[in-house]
Amino acid sequence: MNKFRFGKYRETDVMSDLIGENYPALLVLSRFGIALGFGDKSIGEICRDSGVDTDTFLAIVNLMVVEDRTALSADVRVSIESLVKYLRNSHDYFLSYRLPEIRKKLTEALDENQEDLNKAVLEYFDKFVIEVKTHMLYENKKVFPFVRSLPKDGKKEKYAAGFSKQHEQIEMRLTEFKNILIKYYPAQSTNEINSVLFDIFNCEKELTLHNTVEDYLFIPAL
Ligand SMILES: [Fe+2]
Ligand SMILES: [Fe+2]
C-alpha cells in the first residue's frame, strides 16, 4: 500500500531508523516542526501526529539519499502548502541561525596577525550572505505567496531556468569562499579554523539540498 514509490524510505519505516541511517534528516524534522522522542513509531504515524503531509516529508528525505535525481518522477506527490512551509523555515534557518553562526565562529577563528586579509575574508563572506538573503527574501515575498498564479507552461521553463541559475551562483560563491580559506589563507590549521571549515562544508551541502528541493520538487509541483 505504498503509494510512494520513489526512493528508499516508505511511510511504514521507523522514524528513528531513518535518523540513525541519515542524520541530516534531523534538519528536515525541525523545519516541519516535528519533535524528537518518537520511540518506535513509523514515519507515517509521526507525520500524522504532527500534522505534516507524509508524502512531502518522504519526497524531501528521499531526495536527500537518492543518487539519481532524474529518477524522480511523476509518482512523487507533494503538498505545495507543506513544501512552502518547509522552504520558509529552511530560509529562516540559513538567515537567522546557520550563516550568522558561521560568521561568529569565523571571526573568532581568524588569525589576529592577518588584519588586512581578515577584513577581505569577512567582506567576501558578507557579500555572499547578502546574495543568499536577497534570493531567499525574494522567494518568501515574491514567489511563495503567489504559487497559484505563477507562469504556466511555456513561461514556466524560462522561470525555472532563472531559478536554477541563481542557485548555481549561490553554491558557486560558497565553494569559492571555502577555497579562498583553504588555498590562500596563510593561517595555522587550528582546531578553530578546522571547525569553521567543517561548518562551511556542511552548510554548502545543506544549501545544495535546499536548492535541489526547490529545483526538483517545488518548481515541478507548480
Ligand atoms: Fe530557497
Ligand atoms: Fe532558491
Side-chain angles (χ1 to χ4, degrees):
M1 265 137 307
N2 278 316
K3 53 183 174 155
F4 191 89
R5 275 157 288 142
F6 159 77
K8 187 176 174 189
Y9 295 103
R10 306 278 182 273
E11 64 172 286
T12 44
D13 290 330
V14 174
M15 184 68 100
S16 60
D17 288 347
L18 160 72
I19 305 301
E21 290 166 14
N22 179 41
Y23 71 86
L26 282 170
L27 288 173
V28 182
L29 294 186
S30 52
R31 285 168 198 169
F32 277 118
I34 300 175
L36 297 175
F38 23 67
D40 293 322
K41 284 188 179 170
S42 71
I43 293 176
E45 283 173 288
I46 299 284
C47 284
R48 279 187 292 278
D49 289 354
S50 319
V52 172
D53 180 69
T54 310
D55 286 344
T56 310
F57 180 87
L58 283 170
I60 295 169
V61 293
N62 280 321
L63 193 63
M64 287 174 104
V65 294
V66 78
E67 269 166 32
D68 179 16
R69 279 172 181 153
T70 51
L72 191 103
S73 60
D75 47 297
V76 175
R77 260 159 294 190
V78 295
S79 132
I80 200 95
E81 284 77 19
S82 295
L83 192 57
V84 164
K85 185 181 168 202
Y86 167 88
L87 291 171
R88 278 185 189 279
N89 286 339
S90 169
H91 289 169
D92 197 47
Y93 164 82
F94 286 111
L95 298 178
S96 310
Y97 173 73
R98 194 59 154 135
L99 295 170
E101 269 294 299
I102 291 181
R103 195 188 193 283
K104 193 171 150 239
K105 270 178 97 165
L106 184 64
T107 327
E108 287 161 9
L110 290 176
D111 180 347
E112 49 189 27
N113 300 314
Q114 303 284 353
E115 218 177 299
D116 289 347
L117 218 51
N118 293 349
K119 219 178 129 208
V121 164
L122 288 172
E123 260 175 35
Y124 196 97
F125 184 77
D126 290 342
K127 270 198 192 138
F128 161 74
V129 173
I130 289 173
E131 205 172 321
V132 176
K133 194 171 176 180
T134 309
H135 175 79
M136 291 183 172
L137 293 184
Y138 173 79
E139 290 174 338
N140 282 358
K141 290 188 187 133
K142 302 274 182 207
V143 180
F144 298 158
F146 308 107
V147 281
R148 297 274 173 225
S149 53
L150 280 175
K152 302 232 160 40
D153 305 325
K155 279 188 184 162
K156 207 174 111 180
E157 274 81 52
K158 217 177 136 197
Y159 178 83
F163 218 63
S164 309
K165 202 158 180 248
Q166 277 191 26
H167 289 160
E168 277 166 32
Q169 234 166 47
I170 286 174
E171 288 164 30
M172 211 178 64
R173 286 244 196 270
L174 189 59
T175 310
E176 222 170 66
F177 178 71
K178 192 184 72 191
N179 284 334
I180 288 175
L181 286 181
I182 298 169
K183 291 188 185 170
Y184 308 112
Y185 191 75
Q188 286 300 316
S189 164
T190 59
N191 291 334
E192 287 77 16
I193 201 95
N194 285 344
S195 170
V196 81
L197 276 169
F198 289 164
D199 282 346
I200 295 171
F201 274 101
N202 281 327
C203 184
E204 194 183 13
K205 274 198 207 138
E206 291 162 14
L207 261 177
T208 307
L209 178 75
H210 175 81
N211 294 341
T212 305
V213 170
E214 289 179 345
D215 292 341
Y216 286 81
L217 295 177
F218 178 70
I219 294 279
L222 291 179

